[in-house]
Amino acid sequence: MSGIFEQLVAKLREISDLQNIEGLLGWDQQTYMPPKGNDARSRHIALLSALAHQKTCDPQLGQFMDDLAADASLNEEQQALLREAKHDRDKAVKVPTDLVHEIAETAGQSHAVWVEARGKNDFNLFAPYLKKLIDLKKREAEAIGYPSDGQPYDVLLDNFEPGATVDKLNPVITETREICRKAVQAITAAPKQPHLDILKRFFGEDGQEKFGTMILPQLGYDLQAGRLDRSVHPFTSGFDVNDVRITTRYQENWLPASVFGIIHETGHALYEQGLPVEHVGTPLAQALSLGFHESQSRFWENQIGRSLPFWEKFYPALKQIFPTALSNTSLEEFYFAINTVVPSLVRVEADEVTYNLHIVVRYEVEQAMFNGQVPVDDLPDLWNQKMEDYLGLRPASNAEGILQDIHWSFGGFGYFPTYLLGNLYAAQWTAALRKDMPDLDAKIRAADFIPIRDWMREKIHRHGRRYTADELCTRITGETLNPDHFGQYLKDRFAPLYNITW
Amino acid sequence: MSGIFEQLVAKLREISDLQNIEGLLGWDQQTYMPPKGNDARSRHIALLSALAHQKTCDPQLGQFMDDLAADASLNEEQQALLREAKHDRDKAVKVPTDLVHEIAETAGQSHAVWVEARGKNDFNLFAPYLKKLIDLKKREAEAIGYPSDGQPYDVLLDNFEPGATVDKLNPVITETREICRKAVQAITAAPKQPHLDILKRFFGEDGQEKFGTMILPQLGYDLQAGRLDRSVHPFTSGFDVNDVRITTRYQENWLPASVFGIIHETGHALYEQGLPVEHVGTPLAQALSLGFHESQSRFWENQIGRSLPFWEKFYPALKQIFPTALSNTSLEEFYFAINTVVPSLVRVEADEVTYNLHIVVRYEVEQAMFNGQVPVDDLPDLWNQKMEDYLGLRPASNAEGILQDIHWSFGGFGYFPTYLLGNLYAAQWTAALRKDMPDLDAKIRAADFIPIRDWMREKIHRHGRRYTADELCTRITGETLNPDHFGQYLKDRFAPLYNITW
């Protein structure tokens, strides 16, 4: 029977390799590909995607899985590998090829129309495509199926956050919403406010790159197994445990874009570099979920990278690189500025407190899309009303409202909540980490990050998809996801900064 | 029947796409891949290679070809596509998969041993691997087969230069050998000699890059469909007509490495960018042969790039970039220096006159390998003797003798002659071009390269593999390959420079 298991692994590795090759093509497309190369690149990516799908649907792969499901000799690790591989394959096999193609084609068209609609601030242009995409994704969800007490949107959530359902998420998200609303109200009412303009002074690209490449390896990112490049939209892409690359962008009048962008992507990259090399090509060497992935980037970006001990260590170096821009700015002023909380209309520019409220708006709008209670044409009003309710701001246009994000234009419904989950998990990990490592702040202040990285590696990375999110969260913290840790973190970080309580 | 032709093209395009994806992985491996990524990269490349081979051997593809072979309605272009595709497939199908694997595996081991053997100057280390590779490639040749008046080495030549055979090459190569020996003798005996040390002064990398990127687009290389990067060994890699990339290296005490390296690779790239986009994925959008490919790089590097009119145009710009290094050097001195002819032991450092003699040595040694008249252990002596006979130099060690080139270490027998053919074709094209374009020198002097590029595009690039080498050469020049053009070119270029006749 062990022979079959090995054959299963070999087949899974081929599929994974094809996906990773596709990943490299995507990385190149966003970094070095000459512009005219795009047509051939799309064809190459589509071919790899089709080959991976074909190999996933290979009946022999299914037969191996069935044979192994009846095999009592599998150890717990092997069972987990089988469970996750079967979960992926079942979903892939259940969606008819025609529907896969129709979704891909519609997504391609919709994306182009969305770009135009956003440019022209015209939701009506995009509406028919959004309707069609919602319909197609509903059909996908129905094809995959869900329990009688479930709903189509659950299936879409599961695409990004395995095991997530509306019933499980609703209480978490509602509690988070109230935590954030209270925090934002208290913070914006505080008399003491930071000077955000500090970060909008001139910071040359070379200096930003110098600072970024200086901190990268200190955080434990292995540059022999990775690299930093530039792209319009920053991202992390791993093609193997030993080849995990990050990108950033440099904005010379907005320092946080590269500084916190690089730390954020490094968090993603540490997860990918920490996956168990012996399981490469199988679910045991894949990230558990997008929420878990985001918990790593947010942990490093916010819990570590926006902390006072971090800047006690690195502010002198930053000041040395930018002596003019920071000449009259104290560590305390800088630290306050990078923790500015202020409601705004655009998600990608949001601070970590208001950010979750942007996600809540999207989550609730997505539910409205999929339970059919609100017609697509009324979604902009719903969006605007929720923005006003939760953030106190009403978009003056759909371009800076419902049309702002790319996700829906390619059918990525169910993706947004993983950002919020990442923020919550990050706070929960930090609470557990502080118990295991009482001198955490001293370690950060000493740039002694390797023990912190290794704690994450030990607790999360090395397990891949061996456990479910609930199981692993419980193993690490003694409980499943609990937004209270995030609530407490906000108080610990922002109450002293703004000299308030709530 | 047209439906079958289209299905054939679709299948060929998939194979070509897989090969081009593999090409991108190779490009990345040599430019940006982090060092630890190599193991996964090798696995990814092997997978793509296996998939392409599998699709090439697909019986349905063979059936399409058989069906179409009997179809009288195909036009001449379609017939050419079919002929070339069938040629490729027949060769691929005839070699047993076991043998393909054994060659790949032995080549991998041999390459590692060759690196060690060269480092230790120990041919005996490499000899058993070379014996095995020769034996395996003989088996490959036997499996593919050849006419009764042919020989195994013909099959290997055909891998790189379709249609080439020993019987056809021997007279060409012997004549070239004598042309070059006479030229070298006359040139080295000349009292007037250039000052090569001009090119060994300090030329900063930035300046070299500036000069290279300045001339690239002027030569007609489309940077919207290509790019210039750095790699240890310069190369050109095309993944599509609209994505053709070149690399170079910068040696700060040897200006020609980047200047002529970039022009050389641009020549290759112009060929790839000039292939007919409407035939992408088929032999009609592939280069005719390696010899033809090299004719393009050598044409731009030597016929154009080392000409006086070229430097009448560009020497002022070069001098502006390197005012110190070139302050006391006149155009004439510089032009003489870049056309230095001096026998040396190492092929990759050879000038364009002695270069062919290096190739002749290798061609004759390869023939000895494959006709079995000289045991492998005696090949170093054969090498050294031929070096002495043709170049007047005897290597003091095998490291700078028979072990110097990478090609045999991966089984690339039959590759070397294409370099020589490229030199000959380049001279023959120039002779034809001068007839069509009497003001060629004036055009070069004005950096008016587009008509020259377009002449090559019209005469060579756009045809892909539609014609055989002999057919296309005859269409362009009225005769098949004739070394006299190269002989005449040497006299035209070097006799006035060295102030001699021969």
Side-chain angles (χ1 to χ4, degrees):
Chain A
M1 206 56 144
S2 74
I4 294 184
F5 189 82
E6 279 144 28
Q7 287 179 69
L8 174 79
V9 167
K11 277 183 178 289
L12 293 176
R13 188 164 289 159
E14 275 198 357
I15 296 166
S16 162
D17 281 345
L18 287 169
Q19 290 163 337
N20 284 322
I21 293 167
E22 190 182 330
L24 179 74
L25 266 59
W27 172 87
D28 180 74
Q29 191 172 31
Q30 293 188 61
T31 51
Y32 295 111
M33 189 189 75
K36 288 187 184 171
N38 207 47
D39 284 352
R41 183 55 48 87
S42 303
R43 203 176 64 234
H44 294 163
I45 286 176
L47 173 62
L48 290 168
S49 188
L51 286 172
H53 184 71
Q54 205 174 302
K55 283 182 184 284
T56 302
C57 296
D58 176 0
Q60 204 184 11
L61 183 65
Q63 190 59 54
F64 287 157
M65 290 177 173
D66 291 345
D67 291 350
L68 288 165
D71 180 358
S73 73
L74 294 189
N75 64 29
E76 182 262 335
E77 196 174 70
Q78 291 172 318
Q79 286 175 25
L81 183 154
L82 182 62
R83 177 196 70 219
E84 294 299 313
K86 203 166 150 44
H87 175 264
D88 294 349
R89 183 172 187 275
D90 286 351
K91 287 190 96 162
V93 168
K94 283 178 179 167
V95 186
T97 309
D98 285 356
L99 184 54
V100 172
H101 286 277
E102 200 178 348
I103 290 173
E105 206 177 321
T106 307
Q109 297 161 351
S110 300
H111 177 73
V113 172
W114 166 75
V115 170
E116 191 188 346
R118 192 174 64 158
K120 292 182 175 169
N121 186 29
D122 185 354
F123 181 76
N124 291 335
L125 265 181
F126 183 53
Y129 290 87
L130 182 57
K131 273 179 209 164
K132 190 168 177 196
L133 277 171
I134 293 168
D135 177 58
L136 289 168
K137 294 300 277 188
K138 270 187 192 159
R139 282 169 54 198
E140 177 189 312
E142 297 295 345
I144 292 170
Y146 46 87
S148 58
D149 58 348
Q151 49 181 288
Y153 186 49
D154 289 347
V155 182
L156 306 180
L157 288 169
D158 182 272
N159 286 342
F160 304 105
E161 196 66 20
T165 62
V166 170
D167 284 351
K168 286 176 73 177
L169 283 189
N170 269 353
V172 168
I173 289 192
T174 305
E175 190 184 341
T176 305
R177 186 183 72 198
E178 295 315 309
I179 286 170
C180 292
R181 287 175 75 180
K182 269 188 213 125
V184 173
Q185 276 162 16
I187 290 169
T188 51
K192 185 185 165 201
Q193 290 291 335
H195 298 291
L196 191 59
D197 59 299
I198 292 168
L199 307 174
K200 296 178 181 172
R201 294 175 188 153
F202 180 79
F203 298 92
E205 277 196 18
D206 288 352
Q208 292 191 42
E209 188 171 14
K210 189 176 169 188
F211 185 77
T213 51
M214 184 266 288
I215 58 173
L216 268 181
Q218 297 196 53
L219 298 173
Y221 177 55
D222 181 357
L223 281 163
Q224 295 295 301
R227 45 179 294 120
L228 170 67
D229 294 280
R230 293 164 188 231
S231 66
V232 177
H233 302 287
F235 65 99
T236 299
S237 197
F239 322 122
D240 183 75
V241 171
N242 283 310
D243 193 350
V244 181
R245 310 182 188 183
I246 66 173
T247 71
T248 193
R249 61 180 158 192
Y250 300 100
Q251 295 175 230
E252 295 197 318
N253 288 297
W254 182 237
L255 183 65
S258 82
V259 169
F260 297 107
I262 285 175
I263 300 174
H264 179 98
E265 299 305 332
T266 299
H268 283 304
L270 291 177
Y271 195 173
E272 295 286 323
Q273 288 189 339
L275 293 166
V277 68
E278 67 272 22
H279 291 303
V280 157
T282 79
L284 297 182
Q286 289 166 0
L288 196 156
S289 73
L290 284 197
F292 265 61
H293 230 309
E294 194 73 5
S295 82
Q296 298 304 295
S297 55
R298 288 303 224 173
F299 170 79
W300 287 101
E301 177 192 353
N302 291 331
Q303 302 286 336
I304 304 287
R306 279 190 162 88
S307 72
L308 184 56
F310 186 91
W311 290 104
E312 285 171 343
K313 170 69 187 174
F314 287 110
Y315 192 61
L318 188 71
K319 210 162 166 163
Q320 206 163 15
I321 294 176
F322 300 113
T324 311
L326 299 174
S327 61
N328 296 315
T329 304
S330 69
L331 167 64
E332 289 67 27
E333 288 169 309
F334 179 79
Y335 171 60
F336 199 10
I338 61 170
N339 283 291
T340 299
V341 175
V342 58
S344 66
L345 290 168
V346 179
R347 176 184 61 87
V348 296
E349 295 166 6
D351 59 83
E352 62 176 319
V353 188
T354 59
Y355 192 95
N356 288 330
L357 295 171
H358 287 272
I359 298 305
V360 174
V361 170
R362 285 151 182 78
Y363 173 73
E364 294 180 357
V365 170
E366 282 189 346
Q367 281 193 69
M369 288 175 183
F370 284 90
N371 64 23
Q373 288 169 359
V374 181
V376 166
D377 294 333
D378 294 346
L379 291 176
D381 285 343
L382 182 65
W383 176 288
N384 294 342
Q385 188 55 50
K386 286 185 182 292
M387 283 296 293
E388 195 163 348
D389 290 347
Y390 304 153
L391 282 147
L393 295 170
R394 196 176 182 92
S397 74
N398 288 325
E400 53 178 11
I402 194 168
L403 287 173
Q404 71 182 259
D405 292 308
I406 192 178
H407 302 58
W408 293 338
S409 81
F410 62 79
F413 308 105
Y415 191 120
F416 285 120
T418 67
Y419 293 124
L420 180 147
L421 296 175
N423 288 329
L424 303 189
Y425 279 125
Q428 195 157 337
W429 307 150
T430 308
L433 173 62
R434 282 194 188 281
K435 282 188 195 152
D436 286 357
M437 203 179 280
D439 62 339
L440 177 64
D441 286 343
K443 281 200 159 57
I444 298 171
R445 203 174 292 113
D448 185 13
F449 298 117
I450 304 304
I452 303 172
R453 182 202 67 179
D454 288 347
W455 188 91
M456 287 293 176
R457 193 163 275 187
E458 169 70 18
K459 300 286 181 186
I460 296 175
H461 307 172
R462 73 183 175 94
H463 298 302
R465 292 167 64 188
R466 182 162 173 174
Y467 304 106
T468 66
D470 283 350
E471 283 168 0
L472 190 53
C473 187
T474 305
R475 282 177 66 99
I476 300 169
T477 69
E479 59 182 334
T480 58
L481 183 61
N482 178 356
D484 290 346
H485 297 286
F486 185 73
Q488 188 57 48
Y489 157 67
L490 292 188
K491 287 185 180 169
D492 293 345
R493 164 84 40 108
F494 294 97
L497 260 174
Y498 284 84
N499 199 22
I500 50 174
T501 55
W502 73 89
Chain B
M1 206 56 142
S2 75
I4 294 186
F5 189 82
E6 279 144 27
Q7 287 179 69
L8 174 79
V9 167
K11 279 185 177 285
L12 294 176
R13 188 165 289 160
E14 274 198 357
I15 296 166
S16 161
D17 280 347
L18 287 169
Q19 291 163 338
N20 284 322
I21 293 167
E22 191 183 328
L24 179 75
L25 267 58
W27 172 87
D28 179 74
Q29 192 172 29
Q30 295 189 59
T31 51
Y32 296 111
M33 187 189 75
K36 288 187 183 172
N38 206 48
D39 285 352
R41 183 56 47 88
S42 302
R43 203 177 64 235
H44 293 161
I45 286 177
L47 173 62
L48 289 169
S49 188
L51 286 172
H53 183 71
Q54 204 175 302
K55 283 182 183 286
T56 303
C57 295
D58 176 1
Q60 203 183 12
L61 184 65
Q63 189 60 54
F64 286 159
M65 288 177 174
D66 291 344
D67 291 351
L68 289 165
D71 180 359
S73 74
L74 293 190
N75 64 30
E76 182 265 335
E77 197 175 70
Q78 290 172 317
Q79 287 174 23
L81 184 154
L82 182 63
R83 177 195 71 219
E84 294 299 313
K86 202 165 152 43
H87 175 265
D88 294 349
R89 183 173 186 275
D90 286 350
K91 288 190 96 163
V93 168
K94 282 178 180 168
V95 186
T97 309
D98 286 355
L99 184 55
V100 172
H101 286 274
E102 201 179 346
I103 290 174
E105 206 177 321
T106 307
Q109 296 161 351
S110 301
H111 177 72
V113 172
W114 167 75
V115 170
E116 191 188 345
R118 192 174 63 157
K120 292 183 175 168
N121 186 30
D122 184 354
F123 181 75
N124 291 335
L125 264 181
F126 183 53
Y129 291 86
L130 183 57
K131 274 178 208 163
K132 191 168 177 195
L133 277 172
I134 293 169
D135 177 58
L136 289 168
K137 294 300 277 189
K138 270 186 193 161
R139 283 168 56 196
E140 178 189 311
E142 296 296 345
I144 292 169
Y146 46 87
S148 58
D149 59 347
Q151 48 181 287
Y153 186 49
D154 289 347
V155 182
L156 306 179
L157 288 169
D158 182 272
N159 286 342
F160 304 106
E161 196 65 22
T165 62
V166 170
D167 283 350
K168 285 175 74 178
L169 283 190
N170 269 353
V172 168
I173 289 192
T174 305
E175 188 184 342
T176 306
R177 187 183 71 197
E178 295 314 310
I179 286 170
C180 292
R181 287 175 77 180
K182 268 187 214 127
V184 173
Q185 276 163 16
I187 290 170
T188 51
K192 186 184 166 203
Q193 291 291 335
H195 297 290
L196 191 59
D197 60 298
I198 292 167
L199 309 173
K200 295 178 180 171
R201 294 174 189 155
F202 180 80
F203 298 92
E205 278 196 18
D206 288 353
Q208 291 191 42
E209 188 171 13
K210 189 176 169 191
F211 184 77
T213 51
M214 183 267 287
I215 56 173
L216 269 181
Q218 297 197 54
L219 297 173
Y221 177 56
D222 182 355
L223 281 162
Q224 296 294 300
R227 48 180 293 120
L228 171 66
D229 294 280
R230 293 166 189 231
S231 66
V232 176
H233 302 287
F235 65 98
T236 299
S237 198
F239 323 122
D240 184 73
V241 171
N242 282 311
D243 192 350
V244 182
R245 309 183 189 182
I246 66 173
T247 71
T248 193
R249 59 180 158 190
Y250 300 99
Q251 295 175 230
E252 295 197 319
N253 288 298
W254 184 237
L255 182 65
S258 82
V259 168
F260 297 106
I262 285 174
I263 300 174
H264 179 98
E265 300 305 332
T266 299
H268 284 304
L270 291 177
Y271 195 172
E272 295 286 323
Q273 288 189 338
L275 294 166
V277 69
E278 66 274 22
H279 291 303
V280 157
T282 78
L284 298 181
Q286 288 165 3
L288 195 155
S289 73
L290 285 197
F292 266 61
H293 230 308
E294 194 72 6
S295 81
Q296 298 304 293
S297 54
R298 289 303 223 172
F299 170 80
W300 287 99
E301 176 192 353
N302 291 331
Q303 302 286 335
I304 304 287
R306 280 191 161 88
S307 72
L308 185 57
F310 186 90
W311 290 104
E312 285 171 343
K313 170 69 188 175
F314 287 110
Y315 191 60
L318 187 71
K319 209 162 167 165
Q320 206 163 15
I321 294 176
F322 300 113
T324 311
L326 298 173
S327 60
N328 297 316
T329 303
S330 69
L331 167 64
E332 290 68 27
E333 288 170 310
F334 179 79
Y335 171 60
F336 200 8
I338 61 171
N339 283 291
T340 299
V341 175
V342 57
S344 67
L345 290 168
V346 179
R347 176 183 60 88
V348 296
E349 295 166 7
D351 59 83
E352 64 176 317
V353 189
T354 60
Y355 193 95
N356 289 331
L357 295 171
H358 287 273
I359 299 304
V360 174
V361 170
R362 286 152 180 79
Y363 173 72
E364 293 180 357
V365 171
E366 283 189 345
Q367 281 194 66
M369 288 175 182
F370 284 90
N371 64 23
Q373 288 169 358
V374 181
V376 166
D377 294 334
D378 294 344
L379 292 177
D381 285 342
L382 183 65
W383 177 289
N384 294 343
Q385 189 55 50
K386 285 184 182 294
M387 283 296 292
E388 196 163 347
D389 290 346
Y390 304 154
L391 282 147
L393 296 169
R394 196 176 182 93
S397 73
N398 287 325
E400 55 178 11
I402 194 167
L403 287 172
Q404 72 182 258
D405 291 309
I406 192 177
H407 302 58
W408 293 339
S409 81
F410 62 78
F413 308 105
Y415 191 119
F416 285 119
T418 66
Y419 293 125
L420 181 147
L421 296 176
N423 288 329
L424 303 189
Y425 279 125
Q428 195 157 338
W429 308 150
T430 308
L433 173 62
R434 282 195 188 280
K435 282 187 196 155
D436 287 358
M437 204 179 279
D439 62 341
L440 176 64
D441 287 342
K443 282 200 158 59
I444 298 172
R445 204 175 291 115
D448 185 13
F449 297 117
I450 304 303
I452 304 171
R453 183 201 67 179
D454 288 347
W455 187 91
M456 287 293 177
R457 193 163 277 186
E458 169 70 17
K459 299 286 181 185
I460 296 176
H461 307 172
R462 74 182 174 95
H463 298 302
R465 292 165 63 187
R466 182 161 175 176
Y467 304 106
T468 66
D470 282 349
E471 283 169 0
L472 190 52
C473 187
T474 304
R475 282 176 67 99
I476 300 168
T477 68
E479 57 182 335
T480 58
L481 182 60
N482 178 357
D484 291 346
H485 298 287
F486 184 73
Q488 188 57 50
Y489 157 67
L490 292 188
K491 288 185 180 170
D492 293 345
R493 165 83 39 107
F494 294 96
L497 260 175
Y498 283 83
N499 198 23
I500 49 174
T501 54
W502 72 88

